[in-house]
Amino acid sequence: MNFLHLFNRVKAASYQRCIGSLRRSVLATSFIMVSASAQAPLDVRIALIIGNSAYPGSPLLNPANDAREMSQILRQLGFQVLELRDGNKSQMLDSISKMTLALKNKQGIGMLYYAGHGLQLDWQNYMVPVDADLLKADDVPKQTVGLNAVMEAFKLSGSRMNILVLDACRDNPFAGGTSSGKGLAQLDAPPSTFLAYATAPGNVAEDGDSSSGNGLYTQFLLQELQKPTAKIEDVFKRVRLQVRRQSQGRQIPWESTSLEDDFMFNDGAKYTLTNEYLERVTQAALKRERDRLAAEARRLQQQREAAELALKEAQAQQNQQKLQEAQRAQDQAQERERLIATQRQQELAREQAELARIKEIERVSALTQSNTQKRLTKEQQQELEFQEIKAAWAKIKDSKIADDFYGFLERFPNGGDLTEAAQYRLNQLAKPMIQASLGKGQNASLSFTGERLRVGDFFKYQTSDLLTKIPAEPFVRQVTAIEGDIVMVNNGEIQVSRLSAIIKNPTFGSHDPPFAALPVEFQVGKTWESRTNQTAPNGRVQQLQLKARVLGVESITVPAGTFQVYVVEIHSVIGNGGSSQVKVWIDPRYGFPIKREEMAKFNGRLARTDRWELAELRAPRE
């Protein structure tokens, strides 16, 4: 095949692929394009962006570029940005001071984005300036900038909400004697703070390559920030999913949150991206892609010319062996060129199909927004969303293809029990390659991700009234069989999912979908919502809704022993006027709680106050 013709095909395909990818971002924000307007006092958004690449002896490819692009997007989203690239310690501390002053007494939103080398020492995390020369552990606090300095700065400023994003978990070149573990240490978010890691604590992240222009984590974060009307939790859930998928489970981002209020980077109205900015980003991305293709073409041409030269030399020397080797090299070069062209064509076809799908979705969305959505009440919209999630789950719940569950989770990052069920199935089909290291003083049991319910598991509870402490009848929960995804308890009298979501209960009836599942991953600050249609034994159907939050970790002692547990708070409401506040203490190894307390009301009156405590446990775990 003519090499120039091949290169032109490769270039055209990649150019179109890049345009398709960029158009998705443009389309996602094309309904309402309003630039950020003047900010009211409580709308103050200030971000400190630091990207360190130029480390002597251990340079990184992308952090400085990550910082530049993050700054551009955040400015368009209403942030006042303080930007520092390749900063030494003095410059980093000075930037933190400037951020503190800018936020002072404004009750604003403060953000730190840091990309570069980071390390942990004695359960403290440190950002590494470009002038650090770390030879021993004592050098770390003297030559680096501790994350606690940023936390203290936010506290002093009086900011009402803080966001910390750390793309700083790359392989540590200073590890010899200077750190106490890989990556960064697990920390719980301080009050009113969202803390995001590029990968799970105790692991390292990928820096990306020169062709991408961004680190793997930041690449997807930049894309998600351009999409409107997504809560901060959903933004980072989608980033986590895409990074996990792209890295094939070698890198899985991690978040910890204590936020009480909702926050959106891009609300689709006041805080959104302008057409001018999107056009500028598009042209810059196209230029980078053209430059990359030109470099790739030069490299391929050099390889081909070298192969042709070797072939001519072998022919001139009439050396049969060299002739064969040269011919083989030329054939291999041509085959590589052919494979690249084929790959580009396939990617182009996928991009075109995806673009067509997105256009159709947005066409329908635009119609329904004007013709239907405005006439629906909030409750009706929630019901439509609920039915959409149920229908999507019904299509894939028995699938053996991981991509089906990736797709579901991208569409419904906050779909309650069905989102957790999809996460569970994804972990079965595409097992994560890493595991988060635990925080200081935490037992390995808290990171358990295996099967929580197994045939033979036996739980006996002693019970009492929560207020009077008068003992009540004990009861037993025993797993007697598991049929597919249904766990039979007490010979099928009770049926639950593998994540302990209630399918059938003799007291309350059946639930569609299964209700009140435990999360697949426990993280302090994690929140989730759930709803189900409950059919009582008398046939009455009511809607049941709950909101849950992981409050923290503690050690408790019950008659069955001492356990380290997550404490979860659950608020639920049922359609007939009932409500309850439940607190449960969960050891992730088991599908039933170690301890449970409930206060239930009906039409505002106290109806039930229960306490369960595990009295006997027979459920061996490795």
Side-chain angles (χ1 to χ4, degrees), residues 156 176 229 237 256 314 357 372 412 418-419 438 530 549 588-589:
L156 290 173
T229 64
K237 284 176 183 177
S256 177
R357 185 184 71 84
T372 304
F412 309 112
L418 295 183
T419 290
L438 299 173
S530 179
R549 184 182 188 92
R589 294 175 295 178

Side-chain angles (χ1 to χ4, degrees), residues 279-291:
E279 178 65 22
R280 190 165 67 250
V281 169
T282 300
Q283 293 302 323
L286 289 173
K287 182 179 184 303
R288 286 200 302 272
E289 181 69 2
R290 286 194 297 269
D291 292 344

Side-chain angles (χ1 to χ4, degrees), residues 567-583:
V567 185
V568 180
E569 185 177 63
I570 303 170
H571 299 275
S572 62
V573 177
I574 193 166
N576 66 354
S579 64
S580 70
Q581 296 187 27
V582 180
K583 196 172 183 180

Side-chain angles (χ1 to χ4, degrees), residues 302-313:
Q302 290 169 356
Q303 289 180 347
R304 181 175 61 82
E305 290 174 350
E308 289 176 348
L309 180 60
L311 180 61
K312 289 179 181 178
E313 290 177 351

Side-chain angles (χ1 to χ4, degrees), residues 226-354:
Q226 297 179 52
K227 300 176 183 177
T229 64
K231 294 179 181 179
I232 184 172
E233 291 85 359
D234 291 350
V235 166
F236 283 92
K237 284 176 183 177
R238 290 191 173 106
V239 171
R240 182 196 312 150
L241 200 67
Q242 292 165 9
V243 171
R244 173 179 173 176
R245 191 180 202 172
Q246 182 71 19
S247 68
Q248 298 180 327
R250 297 186 305 275
Q251 180 176 337
I252 302 177
W254 190 265
E255 299 87 42
S256 177
T257 178
S258 61
L259 297 185
E260 298 289 343
D261 301 323
D262 288 340
F263 174 75
M264 289 186 289
F265 286 100
N266 185 344
D267 64 2
K270 179 177 181 180
Y271 297 120
T272 190
L273 303 178
T274 63
N275 280 318
E276 293 79 9
Y277 172 75
L278 289 169
E279 178 65 22
R280 190 165 67 250
V281 169
T282 300
Q283 293 302 323
L286 289 173
K287 182 179 184 303
R288 286 200 302 272
E289 181 69 2
R290 286 194 297 269
D291 292 344
R292 188 186 67 79
L293 283 170
E296 182 179 16
R298 288 193 297 271
R299 181 181 61 81
L300 288 172
Q301 185 171 1
Q302 290 169 356
Q303 289 180 347
R304 181 175 61 82
E305 290 174 350
E308 289 176 348
L309 180 60
L311 180 61
K312 289 179 181 178
E313 290 177 351
Q315 289 171 336
Q317 296 174 8
Q318 295 297 309
N319 185 315
Q320 187 63 29
Q321 181 178 356
K322 288 186 177 181
L323 184 63
Q324 292 174 350
E325 291 175 353
Q327 184 65 55
R328 188 160 51 248
Q330 186 180 44
D331 292 344
Q332 289 173 348
Q334 291 176 344
E335 178 64 14
R336 283 195 297 271
E337 293 169 1
R338 186 189 66 78
L339 288 174
I340 290 172
T342 301
Q343 182 183 15
R344 293 289 189 259
Q345 289 175 333
Q346 291 172 344
E347 289 175 351
L348 174 61
R350 285 194 295 268
E351 292 292 342
Q352 289 175 335
E354 177 69 6

